[in-house]
Each structure stands twice: as C-alpha cells, then as structure tokens.
Amino acid sequence: MIPSPFLHFKIFCFFIPACCFLFFFSCEAEKHIDEPHCGGIVVSLDEDTAGEWYVRGSFNHWDLSTPMTYRGGRWEREVFLAPGDYAYAFYERRSGLWRSDPHNPLARYENGRRYSRLVVPDCRYPRLELVEPPIPGGASFTVHARFVPGTGGAGPDPEKSVVTVAGNIVTPLYDGEKRLFTITAENLATGKHTVVFSVRDTDGFAAAPLFVPIWLESSLFDWRDAVIYQVMTDRFVNGDLNNDGPVEVAPVKSNWQGGDFRGIIRKIEDGYFSELGVTALWISSPLANTPGAWKGMGNDPRLYTAYHSYWPIATGWSDLTPIPDLDSPVEPHFGTEAELSELIAKAHEQGIRV
C-alpha cells in the first residue's frame, strides 16, 4: 500500500482551472498606499442556512473579521486583497467546524495543516490570451494572441518584447485596434514547434509568457488512436548511477531503484519505442517529491520512498513563482531540468509525444 506523507511536508498544492473563481476587476475597493487591490474574488460554500460562517485566512490573521452571507442556497463572500498567495478556510463559529473550499482544489500548508489556497493576480500587469488553437497547414501555421492591458492601460512595448518561433526571434504583426499579435511561420519541417510570447508594456510591466506548442505532421494526431507506453521512470532503465540516492532505512523493494531520464533517453535513441509503434510516452511525474522514507497508511509498518512520484512538493512551480527552499522543481533522482528537456526533444524528433 502506498503511504500518505501529506502531513509531513510544508507545501502541497494542485492546479486549478480558471473557472473555479469569479474575478471582478473593478480596482475600486479598499485602497492601500503600497499594494494595489485588483478586484473582488468570490468564495462560496454550499451549506444550509444554519450557522454563522466566516472566511478565515492568512490575509485576515485567521480572525473572525470576514463573515459570509447566505444567498441563493449557499454562503458567499467577496474578498478584496492585495496581489499575493494566501491560505484560507471556512469556519462555523457556533460549532467550531472548519471546511476547506469545495470549489477550489488548490491547497497550501501552514503550520502543518492543509488549507485552501488563494492566488490573487496583480491587475497592474498585462496578460496574453491565445485567441484560438493554432491553425496548422502542411509546412506552416498561424498563431493569434490577444494582448490584455493592465489597469494602467499601457500597450505593448516593441523594444522590450520578444516573440520566438523554435527559439528564433521573429517580428509579429500587431493590430493595435484589436490588440492582436499574429505570427505566421512557413516552410517548416514536420515535428514539434513552439511559439513563445514574452511581452512588456510601455509602463514596464511584463505579462506572463505565453507558450504555444504546435505539431506539423502528415496526419492529425488523435489521443484516441495513440499507442501510449507508460514508463515508471524509477523502475525502467538506470542511465546515470550518480543520481540513484537510495534511502538507507527503506527496504529494497520500496526504495529508489535508479531509473532516470538518462535511461529513457537511451531507449529513445536506440529506437526502442519507435520500433514498437509507440506514439506517446507517459512518464512518472517529473516533479520533486517528499524526501526520505515514510510509513504506510493505516497499520502498514513498512517504510516507503517516493519512487512512484505521487508525493509532489513542487506542484505550481513557475519561473515567476518558484517555491521557497527548492533549488529545482524536478525530482533529483530522475535527473536535471536539462535532461528532462533533452528527453522531450529526443522524443519529439521521432514524432513521440511526452
């Protein structure tokens, strides 16, 4: 049985689809001299009318200053916060009952306890939106990306903005009236191509980079027709003895075995997957995991390491929002970020998704 160490590490979070919150960018609520308040975020709890529910979190020092209102069959509260990353939960005063947000799979640990996680964007910053999926056509493709200004209303600064196709800087067309970037690339080889928009506005604020992957191939790829090879990375091929790092106290069967990115790369280069007709690799999650060894669930006394890669501590990492105390979001037993990039590139050269 796979153990559950979730109470033992500091930060654990999940991805959340944007639809899970309602954002109202009014910027007219509570003002602060140093930090902008960029809009209201509605949080809600589906409960009957009984009780007195509050939103308690790191933004209000976990006190009872943020009561919720019952309307339309649920408890609601719109909160106006400075941009940041907050932990919060719902609290019923009479019973002392705590509830996490059922509409929000993001989580954040504080003082050893798991709470819901609220990430408030900074409305001063612009953003980029992909208008529609890229339009491939033979050896060419077209990408449309919309520029959405921050609250200052500034447009993109061409001198400080960079757009690349397959790593090469290109000059996009920009329609100022529609605020629309258009990239058209032609005479390209089959395979994987990437477009990256890195844009700053004339006020100096940078939008989060927009990464657009595009495949050019003779027939349209469909996951329903894919031949998927699931690779349990640690149990596959040991390509680099230097990153094995077994945990001394864990038994052999539940310990790290040494499989890594370098081992998968070797099998890609050998043509192992292509000869089998594989069109997609499903590797273990490459995210850094809980270190050490932990007892199993319930009465299971055995010790387990995170060789299965189901105890991630780097979920949510990005270049703009790195996680404190982690040097890299990649599991060190599997290899490096550069090796993961190499693995993906080598697979793509053979028309294999990862």
Side-chain angles (χ1 to χ4, degrees), residues 4-12 62 87 107-116:
S4 177
F6 296 153
L7 295 179
H8 300 283
F9 58 82
K10 296 181 179 179
I11 299 177
F12 183 81
W62 302 98
R108 180 184 174 103
Y109 276 79
E110 289 203 2
N111 300 319
R113 181 170 177 174
R114 184 180 181 219
Y115 298 99
S116 296

Side-chain angles (χ1 to χ4, degrees), residues 87-345:
Y88 74 100
F90 302 126
Y91 177 78
E92 203 287 301
R93 188 182 64 83
R94 296 176 185 174
S95 63
L97 178 67
W98 290 83
R99 289 278 182 85
S100 59
D101 189 335
H103 306 292
N104 179 7
L106 274 177
R108 180 184 174 103
Y109 276 79
E110 289 203 2
N111 300 319
R113 181 170 177 174
R114 184 180 181 219
Y115 298 99
S116 296
R117 181 187 184 197
L118 183 58
V119 180
V120 180
D122 191 329
C123 60
R124 297 173 300 175
Y125 287 78
R127 67 182 191 275
L128 295 162
E129 298 176 343
L130 187 63
V131 174
E132 58 189 3
I135 307 169
S140 64
F141 62 77
T142 300
V143 177
H144 299 292
R146 179 173 291 111
F147 177 84
V148 181
T151 50
D157 185 341
E159 299 298 323
K160 297 180 179 179
S161 300
V162 177
V163 181
T164 61
V165 175
N168 300 311
I169 297 177
V170 299
T171 302
L173 296 176
Y174 182 70
D175 185 329
E177 183 177 347
K178 296 181 179 178
R179 293 173 175 161
L180 196 67
F181 287 101
T182 299
I183 291 290
T184 299
E186 300 176 323
N187 302 318
L188 300 170
T190 57
K192 172 86 173 286
H193 300 270
T194 57
V195 179
V196 181
F197 294 85
S198 300
V199 178
R200 286 183 177 271
D201 66 18
T202 54
D203 286 340
F205 291 108
L210 177 62
F211 176 86
V212 186
I214 303 163
W215 282 83
L216 297 179
E217 43 203 348
S218 56
S219 58
L220 184 64
F221 179 85
D222 190 326
W223 282 103
R224 293 170 296 182
D225 299 325
V227 178
I228 303 175
Y229 191 117
Q230 184 174 7
V231 179
M232 191 169 188
T233 303
D234 178 68
R235 297 299 201 258
F236 191 57
V237 175
N238 190 344
D240 183 358
L241 299 179
N242 295 317
N243 59 25
D244 288 4
V247 178
E248 185 175 342
V249 297
V252 173
K253 289 184 178 180
S254 58
N255 213 329
W256 296 96
Q257 299 296 319
D260 48 33
F261 299 145
R262 184 55 57 190
I264 299 175
I265 291 170
R266 181 186 302 169
K267 299 300 284 187
I268 294 172
E269 292 175 333
D270 290 346
Y272 173 77
F273 299 109
S274 294
E275 290 175 7
L276 291 174
V278 171
T279 57
L281 292 179
W282 177 359
I283 66 174
S284 300
S285 168
L287 295 180
N289 283 271
T290 307
W294 303 90
K295 288 184 178 180
M297 296 176 64
N299 296 321
D300 185 355
R302 290 166 293 190
L303 291 173
Y304 298 82
T305 62
Y307 66 88
H308 40 70
S309 200
Y310 287 154
W311 297 343
I313 56 174
T315 308
W317 176 294
S318 76
D319 290 341
L320 297 178
T321 57
I323 295 175
D325 303 323
L326 285 180
D327 295 329
S328 169
V330 171
E331 173 53 53
H333 286 89
F334 294 158
T336 65
E337 295 177 52
E339 288 176 314
L340 177 59
S341 295
E342 181 183 352
L343 184 160
I344 294 170

